[in-house]
Amino acid sequence: MEKIKVGIIGSTGYAGVELFRILLRHPGVEKIFCSSVSFEGQQIDGVYQNLIGQMDGKCDGKLLTADEVKEKSDIIFTALPHGIAEEYADYCLSHGKKLIDLSADFRYGMDEETFKTWYKKEYRFPKTHEVSVYGSPEMNREQIKKASIIGNPGCYVTSATLGLLPMLKAGLVNTDCIIVDSKSGVTGSGRNPSMANQFCECGESFSAYKIGAHRHQSEIERNMTTLAGKKTNVIFTPHLLPQNRGILSTIYAPLTDEASTSLKQKADKEFEGDMASAIRAIYTEAYKNEPFVRVLPAGVTPTTRTIRYSNYCDMQVYVVNGGKMLEVVSVLDNMVKGASGQAVQNMNLMFGYPETCAIDFIPPAF
């Protein structure tokens, strides 16, 4: 397989430096070129001291201009604010290069109206959206393999989408009102300082924010509508956890009357009346070939501690409200499977590398 020259534009944000950390250990990456507006001309290991002595010949550590990075690279990762990546995608299309964007710019395909509604920006290079692919391997693996431009999914979105994917595809839940209740570590708000992510504001505290107005709601709703094949209504509430990284989503979806009846019959016949075990069997079958989705054994509760620094999404299923409601708990690391790890997973698919290459981290025990 070909060796790859990789560029990271926006390499000193949290997602950018996580990309850099992962790509340094990728055997298919020949060179890494990095840019940063904030630290241009400096050394990346001077900004992040954990990188001292880790370059291994793949990078000299100097933070270049974005133009230098795009010219030197075969594939570009853009870890930038929303509305900027289109220009780099247009350049990549005209020069035979590939791009993976970690902002929202390519998450909506040709649906410019939804993007404008939630992000208050218009498409400047419409052709780039015509050929872009939504970068969820569990949803679009074959399309990703052939793509030149990828829109990497949102972090909350990944936990919510994977948490309900098997039941939506099977048509077993009522899509009139699905509730997604999510909690994220502070890295989800990015590295730029704000009042909300100051220690004295978020430490020893737990709060909901952007209730009914968080941008990821539209992306979650779009994914669930796609999977269900019909309109899905979602209520999404994000919360800020006083920890660095990790997302835990609790998803509530009413079972259809037919599903409730059939699952109860299946549970009585095969699982000693335990409907949760019947549903867990559906999840286990749906994800049996997915390297980064772990359906946990009965009685094991997902926690953010046991997926930290990994590309795994762990989940558990429950049946509540007298057998009428499905409850799913889904956890992932917002910086890895929720951002940079999933981006490298997409790169692996695009260039024919094993999907798990360089992201097969075992989570630390504590």
Side-chain angles (χ1 to χ4, degrees):
M1 283 177 283
E2 62 181 302
K3 291 281 188 175
I4 314 168
K5 294 182 176 69
V6 177
I8 305 172
I9 298 178
S11 61
T12 54
Y14 288 145
V17 76
E18 192 77 339
L19 266 173
F20 190 80
R21 181 180 74 90
I22 294 170
L23 292 169
L24 281 173
R25 69 188 296 270
H26 196 297
V29 172
E30 180 182 356
K31 290 289 183 182
I32 305 173
F33 306 103
C34 300
S35 77
S36 170
V37 172
S38 302
F39 299 96
E40 186 178 308
Q42 299 183 37
Q43 296 293 122
I44 193 169
D45 55 357
V47 181
Y48 288 100
Q49 295 180 25
N50 62 307
L51 299 174
I52 293 173
Q54 301 300 315
M55 304 304 176
D56 196 27
K58 290 186 176 182
C59 182
D60 63 10
K62 185 177 180 181
L63 292 163
L64 309 172
T65 67
D67 284 343
E68 289 174 308
V69 168
K70 75 181 186 183
E71 290 168 4
K72 293 173 180 287
S73 307
D74 302 315
I75 181 171
I76 296 169
F77 292 89
T78 43
L80 299 166
H82 309 299
I84 301 176
E86 277 184 296
E87 180 179 347
Y88 296 107
D90 184 65
Y91 172 86
C92 286
L93 278 183
S94 62
H95 288 78
K97 299 171 184 278
K98 299 178 187 293
L99 178 138
I100 298 175
D101 178 44
L102 278 74
S103 79
D105 290 10
F106 293 100
R107 293 175 185 167
Y108 295 88
M110 290 300 295
D111 186 3
E112 183 179 2
E113 284 305 308
T114 300
F115 183 73
K116 283 169 61 177
T117 298
W118 288 88
Y119 290 88
K120 312 305 179 188
K121 297 179 183 293
E122 296 183 350
Y123 288 174
R124 296 184 297 128
F125 298 88
K127 288 184 179 179
T128 62
H129 299 274
E130 292 176 9
V131 300
S132 68
V133 172
Y134 186 68
S136 169
E138 293 79 11
M139 290 179 66
N140 294 326
R141 181 170 282 105
E142 295 308 311
Q143 297 95 311
I144 291 167
K145 289 178 181 179
K146 298 176 285 187
S148 295
I149 298 173
I150 295 290
N152 217 55
C155 51
Y156 280 128
V157 182
T158 301
S159 67
T161 300
L162 295 181
L164 213 53
L165 181 151
M167 298 295 279
L168 288 166
K169 291 184 74 172
L172 298 176
V173 293
N174 188 322
T175 60
D176 290 342
C177 183
I178 291 170
I179 297 172
V180 179
D181 183 89
S182 298
K183 298 90 178 169
S184 174
V186 184
T187 50
S189 62
R191 193 178 188 218
N192 289 333
S194 69
M195 183 68 72
N197 61 18
Q198 289 184 25
F199 176 79
C200 290
E201 297 292 330
C202 62
E204 302 295 329
S205 180
F206 177 53
S207 61
Y209 67 100
K210 293 185 180 178
I211 299 168
H214 195 286
R215 291 163 167 175
H216 282 187
Q217 174 158 330
S218 62
E219 192 183 339
I220 294 170
E221 198 163 81
R222 190 276 313 272
N223 285 0
M224 292 191 177
T225 294
T226 298
L227 291 167
K230 59 182 177 180
K231 174 64 177 173
T232 302
N233 297 304
V234 173
I235 298 173
F236 170 59
T237 306
H239 302 73
L240 188 64
L241 284 172
Q243 63 185 47
N244 286 346
R245 55 169 76 208
I247 283 178
L248 186 149
S249 291
T250 307
I251 307 155
Y252 305 89
L255 296 168
T256 65
D257 291 340
E258 296 82 359
S260 186
T261 299
S262 64
L263 286 166
K264 188 176 187 310
Q265 291 172 347
K266 183 179 179 65
D268 289 341
K269 183 178 180 180
E270 301 178 30
F271 299 100
E272 299 181 347
D274 184 3
M275 283 181 67
S277 291
I279 293 174
R280 192 177 300 107
I282 293 172
Y283 274 69
T284 300
E285 176 65 22
Y287 286 129
K288 65 181 180 181
N289 295 319
E290 292 297 341
F292 294 115
V293 180
R294 303 193 297 191
V295 182
L296 301 183
V300 180
T301 302
T303 73
T304 58
R305 177 177 60 82
T306 53
I307 48 77
R308 293 176 75 231
Y309 302 102
S310 83
N311 202 52
Y312 288 114
C313 177
D314 286 0
M315 60 189 66
Q316 185 59 276
V317 300
Y318 307 88
V319 179
V320 297
N321 194 28
K324 298 178 181 179
M325 178 80 74
L326 169 68
E327 183 175 346
V328 182
V329 178
S330 169
V331 298
L332 53 76
D333 187 315
N334 58 299
M335 288 287 100
V336 190
K337 183 60 173 171
S340 303
Q342 186 158 224
V344 174
Q345 188 177 354
N346 285 322
M347 185 192 81
N348 287 336
L349 289 168
M350 295 166 83
F351 284 90
Y353 279 90
E355 194 166 335
T356 59
C357 191
I359 45 175
D360 54 348
F361 304 107
I362 298 172
F366 52 87

